[in-house]
Amino acid sequence: MLTIGKLGEAAGVKVPTIRYYEQIGLLPEAERSAGNQRLYGRKAMERLAFIRHARDLGFTLEAIRDLLSLSDRPDQSCAAADAIARAQLAEIESRLARLTALKAELERMVVQCAGGKIADCRVIEVLGDHSLCATDHRYPESEVPS
Amino acid sequence: MLTIGKLGEAAGVKVPTIRYYEQIGLLPEAERSAGNQRLYGRKAMERLAFIRHARDLGFTLEAIRDLLSLSDRPDQSCAAADAIARAQLAEIESRLARLTALKAELERMVVQCAGGKIADCRVIEVLGDHSLCATDHRYPESEVPS
DNA sequence: CCTAATGTCTCTAGCAACTATAGCTTCAAG
DNA sequence: CTTGAAGCTATAGTTGCTAGAGACATTAGG
């Protein structure tokens, strides 16, 4: 049995985070030693590793909660797990597309900064004027106030 | 002069967000009408557009605060603005790389889910076992508890 | 065996960047 | 003149932790 510190070290999760996961019900309440310290066995370790891995993949704690409750019922269809993973994949693909566009715009900004004065700085200028950039702008010219 | 609702609509920023920006000092305190309602002119609109655009590009409010104070001193060198933008670019590049790796792993997981039972589900399995994935795993086998 | 240094305990508050709610007042349209 | 939308303030909630305070537990060294 491991104390919370050892578990955290082993799983690459900080101690307060483990206590937090217990608090919100992602981890079951741990056994306690005579001196009231939490003790963890292999099952807790595996559950924590599952959580950490899913977090690394960008799943929200809510999604992880769902996945964990699915994995507790191994005889059910895995369609739900598949759906959660697919949703996560779609989410990541959309973030990826967005970030790629942002990167392009930032690169343009940075390249165009000639190292002069603020008044001529493309970074400031581009940020201040939607029409200078390629990304969606949400208000028509007509609505710009006087 | 625009009321807060019109300004928000025009700039694509929600009303409580505008009040929040004022509260934390990103926007100056707005003029008020006789009935104590906020009124905004073109300068406020431009400042808000600047903030929204920078937020869209992923800059933190802190970075935006810095950029705004730079843009208030147009005679200074733009090296600082350039540095902020470059840092943001580096940050985005790193997130991009990470997301690309995650996407690959999620795709593998999803493809391998044969549509059977949870017990055989690759999604659950891969999440539960670090050794089945390609990403960094932070604890050596020797530290896995009994 | 005692002490000092860690480690753990609970509880509370804080972080970013908003979002939502409650209970008002003010404004614009009919 | 009334009604409904939009505004006001103030407070609390969100997600996923992280940091502190002050008290108890455990362990390593002398």
Side-chain angles (χ1 to χ4, degrees), chain B residues 46-97:
Chain B
E46 279 167 11
R47 199 171 174 99
L48 182 56
F50 183 103
I51 294 170
R52 181 173 107 70
H53 195 184
R55 287 294 296 136
D56 281 352
L57 288 169
F59 289 88
T60 65
L61 293 183
E62 258 322 288
I64 293 170
R65 199 187 293 277
D66 291 347
L67 287 168
L68 280 169
S69 80
L70 288 170
S71 80
D72 289 342
R73 279 174 273 111
D75 50 326
Q76 304 268 306
S77 155
C78 74
D82 186 52
I84 292 171
R86 277 180 199 279
Q88 181 60 22
L89 180 55
E91 170 67 29
I92 282 186
E93 275 167 352
S94 118
R95 278 199 274 161
L96 212 45

Side-chain angles (χ1 to χ4, degrees), chain A residues 61-124:
Chain A
L61 292 182
E62 258 322 288
I64 293 170
R65 199 187 293 277
D66 292 346
L67 288 169
L68 280 169
S69 81
L70 288 171
S71 79
D72 289 342
R73 279 174 274 112
D75 51 326
Q76 304 268 307
S77 153
C78 75
D82 187 52
I84 293 170
R86 277 179 199 280
Q88 181 60 21
L89 181 55
E91 171 67 29
I92 282 186
E93 275 168 352
S94 118
R95 277 199 275 161
L96 212 46
R98 209 171 144 60
L99 275 182
T100 304
L102 300 191
K103 176 168 175 266
E105 188 172 357
L106 276 169
E107 272 169 348
R108 275 214 331 277
M109 264 171 53
V110 163
V111 163
Q112 289 176 339
C113 175
K117 299 296 177 188
I118 290 281
D120 311 309
C121 183
R122 292 291 297 177
V123 171
I124 299 287

Side-chain angles (χ1 to χ4, degrees), chain B residues 130-146:
Chain B
H130 258 281
S131 68
L132 295 176
C133 83
T135 60
D136 62 319
H137 59 126
R138 314 220 186 126
Y139 58 88
E141 296 300 326
S142 61
E143 287 190 22
V144 176
S146 60

Side-chain angles (χ1 to χ4, degrees), chain B residues 5 19 32 38:
Chain B
R19 288 196 279 249
R32 298 298 182 114
R38 288 173 181 83

Side-chain angles (χ1 to χ4, degrees), chain A residues 108 125-135 137 139 141, chain B residues 53:
Chain A
R108 275 214 331 277
E125 189 181 347
V126 169
L127 285 176
D129 190 347
H130 259 284
S131 68
L132 295 177
C133 82
T135 59
H137 60 127
Y139 58 87
E141 295 300 325
Chain B
H53 195 184

Side-chain angles (χ1 to χ4, degrees), chain A residues 2 5-13 42-53 56, chain B residues 125-133 135-145:
Chain A
L2 299 177
K6 298 295 174 194
L7 176 70
E9 205 178 316
V13 177
R42 200 162 58 83
K43 272 176 69 173
M45 163 101 228
E46 278 166 10
R47 198 171 174 97
L48 183 56
F50 184 104
I51 295 169
R52 181 174 106 71
H53 195 184
D56 281 354
Chain B
E125 189 181 345
V126 169
L127 286 176
D129 189 348
H130 258 281
S131 68
L132 295 176
C133 83
T135 60
D136 62 319
H137 59 126
R138 314 220 186 126
Y139 58 88
E141 296 300 326
S142 61
E143 287 190 22
V144 176

